Amino acid sequence: MNPQSVLIVDDSPNDRHALRVLLGAVGIHGVREAESGDDGLRIASEWKPGVVILDARMPGMSGEEAAGHIRQEVPGARIIAFSAYVERPPAWADYFLRKDQLSEMVPLIKMVLGC
């Protein structure tokens, strides 16, 4: 597993870009992106990230479905649900932020990664 790495799984290219820029600004450069749950599962299976930021609602495989598969493939990965639609922390995630809380992502990632 790559414990200091982050996989962003979100169908919005703007949200993926914003997250990558925020993480890069604080020195977190081990970041990869996926635009769907299927792509996220494939990348997670191969790369074994320490943290997965996972959009709850995506076309095709939902965040919940992807989280279940990712947990099987990368049991130690921490999953952050990141959604504009979900209002409460979902059971399938270790952490939760709404998309309007983007500014809180960096402190959360640092806490999760132990930086």
Side-chain angles (χ1 to χ4, degrees):
M1 188 162 83
N2 297 305
Q4 297 296 308
S5 60
V6 179
L7 172 60
I8 302 166
V9 184
D10 197 308
D11 60 322
S12 167
N14 292 335
D15 289 342
R16 289 193 315 269
H17 177 74
L19 287 166
R20 181 180 279 275
V21 168
L22 275 174
L23 295 172
V26 295
I28 299 170
H29 299 291
V31 179
R32 292 194 183 170
E33 299 178 23
E35 63 183 28
S36 70
D38 293 312
D39 287 341
L41 174 57
R42 180 184 51 75
I43 293 169
S45 296
E46 295 169 4
W47 192 46
K48 310 287 190 216
V51 176
V52 179
I53 300 172
L54 189 55
D55 187 6
R57 283 182 53 184
M58 295 177 285
M61 186 185 298
S62 71
E64 181 175 7
E65 291 173 294
H69 293 296
I70 290 169
R71 287 202 188 280
Q72 289 177 347
E73 294 293 322
V74 192
R78 300 295 183 141
I79 297 178
I80 300 172
F82 187 58
S83 178
Y85 302 101
V86 176
E87 291 298 320
R88 293 186 195 111
W92 50 265
D94 300 302
Y95 306 94
F96 169 67
L97 283 179
R98 291 184 321 271
K99 288 192 176 183
D100 63 354
Q101 297 174 300
L102 181 62
S103 64
E104 296 178 38
M105 184 61 78
V106 168
L108 177 58
I109 290 285
K110 285 182 156 187
M111 189 260 317
V112 173
L113 292 177
C115 313

